Amino acid sequence: MPQLFTLPFTVKLSFSLLALIASAFIFHIGQDIIIPLLLSILFAILLQPVVYFLKDKIRIPVVIGAAVTVAFFVAVFIGVFIFISLQVGDIVNDIDKIQNNLNIHFANIQQFIRVNFNISSREQKVFINEATNDSIENGKEMIGVTITSFSNTILNTILVPIYTFLILIYGNHFKLFLKKLVLRKHHTILNDVIIQVKSTVKSYIIGLILELLFVSALTTLGLYIIGVEYAIVLGLITGILNLIPYIGILFAGFLAIIASLTGSADLSIVVGIIVVNVIVQFIDNNLLVPLVVSSKVKINAISTIVGILIGGALAGISGMFLAIPIIAILKVIFDRIDYLEPWGYLLGDDLPKTHQWKKLNLPKYDFDNLKNDSTAKNELNIEIKKSPLDNP
């Protein structure tokens, strides 16, 4: 019988890092193919219960049920897009008002700079002209990139519904492929991974949809109270852009400020919009995200931030959107494979959540308490041992 040997830890770690780098490189160069496919997989997981309902309860064939479900899903997107387009068209029609109000704010800012920083209007104009010339030169270089990006977006818009329809039809086919790929003794683990991945992705996407609705409603209410025109469409745009981490809410706030100039040049409206966005973001980050989104995906904050940054570097906005579900799927897989379990634990968030102090529930990040907590040790699969360095 051949003698088995175990690779050193450094060799295993090197192979893992090489595999990670190779995967990132393949994802980067093949993003035009991979991203529509990944989006389609997420949408197919979300829509699969609807297809099964049509099949089991109404006795509609899978092909027809999948076609109806995808068609309805696409119709919802098209309806939202048409509504936003019509409202944006109305805003564009008021471009003269916007330009006049912008000139008023610009003149006020120039006066403020001249009075407080002793920079004359001529010097300010020279600086602005130089910056404008640089922006025009950079803009010419970006035209080709923008056209290419727009064409890719149109292509993805066509491919994603087609991929989603096909994945819904061939779902069982792909499951059988995975079972043929994995040894029979591991089929139980494979089934568990598939179930957990479906549950995690479905819960995460539903959480995002609920977050979108809440943020849209809160923003619409806030903008309506302070008297901003087009409050509904601006609230909806804010909810949609909020799905893009970090930069989405900033861009939405900028659009709301520009749209507010269609009605008045009052600076208090601009300040009100900023206050509304800050309040909505505070509620979103401290209430909605922990309860609706983070509760569905057990990933720690460091893994989330790093994953979003890596996704953005590799594939732009689409990569940022896909980062969290991809990390969640990887965690589910890692947790069920012995030699990958440490990586799953690294991505997870198993720290104690709260600590009671003077009737206040505060975050509790204390690993030392786990030493006397057998339940926590079993959940974390950690064996706490005394370090040899502790010996005298």
Side-chain angles (χ1 to χ4, degrees):
M1 182 177 180
Q3 185 177 2
L4 299 178
F5 65 93
T6 303
L7 293 175
F9 171 76
T10 54
V11 177
K12 291 182 179 179
L13 181 60
S14 299
F15 282 142
S16 299
L17 292 177
L18 286 174
L20 183 63
I21 293 172
S23 300
F25 179 73
I26 293 172
F27 183 83
H28 178 65
I29 63 175
Q31 58 181 286
D32 293 337
I33 299 174
I34 297 174
I35 287 178
L37 192 58
L38 291 177
L39 288 173
S40 301
I41 293 173
L42 297 183
F43 292 144
I45 292 174
L46 178 65
L47 298 177
Q48 191 179 51
V50 180
V51 177
Y52 284 166
F53 174 81
L54 295 177
K55 173 189 173 185
D56 298 333
K57 301 298 182 179
I58 310 182
R59 304 298 179 182
I60 295 178
V62 173
V63 175
I64 299 177
V68 171
T69 303
V70 173
F72 178 78
F73 189 66
V74 172
V76 171
F77 273 91
I78 293 176
V80 173
F81 177 77
I82 292 175
F83 172 75
I84 293 177
S85 299
L86 293 175
Q87 295 295 314
V88 170
D90 293 337
I91 296 175
V92 172
N93 291 333
D94 295 329
I95 191 65
D96 293 334
K97 288 184 180 179
I98 294 175
Q99 187 174 0
N100 292 332
N101 292 332
L102 277 175
N103 290 333
I104 294 174
H105 287 301
F106 181 70
N108 293 332
I109 293 173
Q110 276 191 321
Q111 183 179 0
F112 176 82
I113 294 175
R114 184 174 61 253
V115 172
N116 293 275
F117 298 97
N118 294 323
I119 301 176
S120 65
S121 299
R122 180 179 299 177
E123 292 174 340
Q124 295 180 44
K125 289 181 180 180
V126 170
F127 176 78
I128 293 172
N129 290 334
E130 292 178 354
T132 303
N133 292 331
D134 293 337
S135 300
I136 292 174
E137 292 178 0
N138 294 331
K140 291 178 180 179
E141 296 177 357
M142 294 178 61
I143 291 177
V145 177
T146 303
I147 294 175
T148 303
S149 177
F150 180 76
S151 61
N152 290 337
T153 302
I154 297 297
L155 181 62
N156 293 342
T157 304
I158 298 173
L159 286 178
V160 168
I162 297 175
Y163 283 157
T164 304
F165 172 73
L166 295 176
I167 292 171
L168 288 172
I169 293 177
Y170 290 103
N172 291 329
H173 180 78
F174 296 137
K175 290 180 185 178
L176 291 176
F177 163 73
L178 293 176
K179 289 185 177 181
K180 291 179 179 293
L181 195 64
V182 177
L183 295 177
R184 185 177 295 274
K185 63 180 180 179
H186 298 313
H187 281 186
T188 302
I189 298 177
L190 176 62
N191 290 331
D192 184 41
V193 168
I194 293 174
I195 292 173
Q196 290 298 322
V197 166
K198 286 183 178 180
S199 176
T200 301
V201 171
K202 192 186 306 178
S203 299
Y204 175 71
I205 296 178
I206 292 175
L208 284 183
I209 294 174
L210 292 176
E211 183 189 11
L212 185 155
L213 295 176
F214 280 125
V215 170
S216 298
L218 291 174
T219 305
T220 299
L221 179 62
L223 296 179
Y224 178 78
I225 291 174
I226 63 176
V228 176
E229 289 189 60
Y230 310 107
I232 295 178
V233 67
L234 292 175
L236 181 58
I237 292 175
T238 301
I240 294 173
L241 292 178
N242 189 58
L243 300 180
I244 304 172
Y246 304 119
I247 63 174
I249 189 63
L250 297 177
F251 188 60
F254 175 76
L255 289 179
I257 291 174
I258 296 299
S260 69
L261 298 177
T262 60
S264 172
D266 190 357
L267 186 61
S268 62
I269 297 294
V270 176
V271 175
I273 292 173
I274 296 175
V275 171
V276 168
N277 277 274
V278 170
I279 294 175
V280 170
Q281 276 303 291
F282 179 82
I283 296 174
D284 180 40
N285 294 330
N286 294 277
L287 184 61
L288 297 180
V289 171
L291 293 179
V292 178
V293 179
S294 297
S295 61
K296 313 298 182 183
V297 183
K298 301 297 183 180
I299 302 174
N300 65 66
I302 297 178
S303 300
T304 300
I305 294 173
V306 173
I308 289 173
L309 294 177
I310 293 175
L314 294 177
I317 294 176
S318 299
M320 298 173 73
F321 176 77
L322 290 170
I324 295 179
I326 289 176
I327 294 174
I329 292 172
L330 290 177
K331 184 183 182 303
V332 171
I333 296 173
F334 291 167
D335 285 343
R336 284 154 181 80
I337 300 177
D338 292 338
Y339 63 90
L340 292 176
E341 187 177 356
W343 297 101
Y345 176 74
L346 178 65
L347 298 175
D349 184 12
D350 293 322
L351 295 180
K353 301 300 180 186
T354 59
H355 174 69
Q356 189 75 23
W357 181 73
K358 294 184 179 180
K359 297 183 179 181
L360 295 176
N361 289 325
L362 302 177
K364 177 181 178 183
Y365 302 110
D366 187 4
F367 273 110
D368 293 335
N369 290 337
L370 295 178
K371 294 181 179 179
N372 299 321
D373 190 347
S374 58
T375 302
K377 287 192 292 184
N378 292 332
E379 290 178 353
L380 294 173
N381 293 322
I382 295 177
E383 183 181 358
I384 300 175
K385 298 180 179 180
K386 187 176 181 181
S387 172
L389 297 178
D390 296 336
N391 294 330

